[in-house]
Amino acid sequence: MVVAGGDERGTTERVLTLLGLLQQRRVWTGPELADRLGVTPRTVRRDVERLRTLGYPVHASQGVGGGYQLGPGQDLPPLLLDDEEAIATAVSLLAGAGGAVAGTGDAALRALTKLDRVLPTRLRHEVRALSGSVESFGGGRTPVDPKVLMTLARACRDEVEAGFGYPSGSSGSEVRRRWVEPYRLVASDRRWYLFAYDLDRDDWRSFRVDRMTDVSARIRPFRPRAAPDAATYVQEGVASRVYPHQARFLVHAPAGTVRAQIPASAAVVRPRGSELCEVLSGAASLDFVLMHVLLLGHDFEVLDPPELGRRCRALAERLLTAGATISPVPDSPAVQPRPLP
């Protein structure tokens, strides 16, 4: 490995300082930058060219109000953050990962794991202290400890085994230690899930993060296995596998239309051409899931299970009977106009 000399290290530090200045203010003149950096305007021009070579679109303009300006580029170049900006960014990402902003959880957590790689140790306690004061309200996700999310995200990133206490048994009162090979953290509209290979059961599983206790990661790495799609696996589990009854329907409506009517946590919607879709859902009773599909307002057919077809006929007969017993409502007498005074 070649170690940079003093001049090269000084140039790198100066160019990074120049980048930080350009990100702080919209326009800088050449003399202003030279004064801040303690160099000549000619050195500033050379450093600007170095930034352009690295992909930063630095524009230069002449005349009154002109100078150097950092503009938008086709690609997103690396950002340079000072301590306060890094802390603020980490805390904001923690809030997003917790579900404070709809639809941003996954992206926020990915960005947070990248920032975690380079965040100095001296800033970590400040991030933890500030994150404790960040809350959200409304119908967001079930709250989870940001430290647990970070531990699991690092384990997924570094491909090391993770362990945690998790309820087991029909009542969920018994907590057992589970060791897994973590692959992905998946966010639904209500909760965070860990998609992992369960080493005890030798199979893929999804785990609710809010139910975990005493989460830790081993140093022991694992070799990644061929895995099913994480989001699809977790969604199917949340929408159907956790329930005693599962049902499949062929709905006579486009998949996009039906997805807009059903939360992702309630059903899996797969397109069947442009005008049909398959709906997979589960519930504690077949009547319950049947009524949900009926209330969508589209024609549909039962694909599975066979007994659901019998429930359809029984429900139809019940509705017909209920409709036949309704007595006709007599017409109200016509309201006569009142004579004008």
Side-chain angles (χ1 to χ4, degrees):
M1 182 177 66
V2 178
V3 180
D7 291 342
E8 184 177 345
R9 185 180 297 110
T11 300
T12 301
E13 293 175 355
R14 189 179 65 248
V15 171
L16 289 174
T17 303
L18 172 61
L19 176 59
L21 292 172
L22 291 172
Q23 291 176 346
Q24 288 178 12
R25 207 169 83 182
R26 186 171 179 271
V27 179
W28 291 85
T29 66
E32 286 176 329
L33 290 173
D35 181 63
R36 285 293 191 97
L37 298 171
V39 296
T40 65
R42 182 179 180 182
T43 301
V44 170
R45 290 193 293 270
R46 290 177 177 174
D47 290 345
V48 166
E49 287 302 320
R50 291 187 175 97
L51 288 176
R52 289 169 176 164
T53 302
L54 293 173
Y56 293 92
V58 183
H59 306 304
S61 57
Q62 303 292 330
V64 178
Y68 292 103
Q69 179 180 2
L70 186 64
Q74 293 182 343
D75 299 316
L76 182 65
L79 297 175
L80 188 66
L81 303 176
D82 60 27
D83 286 3
E84 292 183 356
E85 293 168 339
I87 292 172
T89 301
V91 172
S92 299
L93 290 172
L94 283 168
V101 183
T104 62
D106 286 331
L109 190 58
R110 290 198 305 271
L112 189 57
T113 55
K114 293 178 181 178
L115 184 61
D116 175 68
R117 286 185 173 183
V118 297
L119 196 65
T121 304
R122 67 179 185 276
L123 302 182
R124 294 183 187 276
H125 72 281
E126 295 188 49
V127 170
R128 286 195 295 267
L130 286 174
S131 65
S133 65
V134 177
E135 296 183 4
S136 60
F137 62 91
R141 298 192 187 98
T142 302
V144 295
D145 189 340
K147 291 186 292 184
V148 171
L149 280 178
M150 284 302 302
T151 299
L152 296 173
R154 291 191 197 104
C156 292
R157 179 194 70 195
D158 300 335
E159 297 178 349
V160 295
E161 295 177 3
F164 46 84
Y166 203 75
S168 62
S170 57
S171 63
S173 58
E174 183 181 0
V175 176
R176 293 183 179 179
R177 191 71 179 168
R178 308 287 283 269
W179 286 101
V180 301
E181 296 175 354
Y183 277 70
R184 294 289 185 275
L185 278 165
V186 179
S188 75
D189 52 349
R190 297 192 305 172
R191 297 184 177 94
W192 280 99
Y193 295 87
L194 175 67
F195 172 64
Y197 191 84
D198 192 322
L199 295 174
D200 295 326
R201 288 162 175 75
D202 198 25
D203 200 1
W204 297 101
R205 291 288 190 274
S206 61
F207 302 91
R208 277 177 50 174
V209 176
D210 60 291
R211 290 182 174 175
M212 296 178 180
T213 56
D214 192 20
V215 179
S216 62
R218 287 174 170 168
I219 302 177
R220 181 187 306 170
F222 62 86
R223 179 175 296 180
R225 307 168 188 263
D229 181 76
T232 301
Y233 183 94
V234 172
Q235 186 192 10
E236 290 181 357
V238 171
S240 63
R241 284 196 299 266
V242 298
Y243 294 100
H245 298 282
Q246 293 83 40
R248 289 192 306 124
F249 303 88
L250 182 65
V251 179
H252 293 236
T257 301
V258 176
R259 284 196 187 103
Q261 296 178 280
I262 307 178
S265 58
V268 178
V269 181
R270 301 188 181 106
R272 287 280 196 93
S274 59
E275 299 300 324
L276 300 173
C277 65
E278 180 180 324
V279 175
L280 172 66
S281 186
S285 71
L286 289 176
D287 286 351
F288 187 82
V289 69
L290 180 60
M291 288 303 301
H292 269 269
V293 176
L294 179 64
L295 292 175
L296 293 177
H298 310 297
D299 292 337
F300 65 92
E301 304 166 30
V302 175
L303 299 178
D304 195 59
E307 59 265 30
L308 190 55
R310 294 190 291 272
R311 298 304 306 160
C312 283
R313 290 188 289 271
L315 180 61
E317 292 174 1
R318 191 181 305 166
L319 291 173
L320 286 172
T321 302
T325 59
I326 298 177
S327 302
V329 179
D331 296 334
S332 301
V335 178
Q336 300 297 326
R338 300 173 63 182
L340 297 174

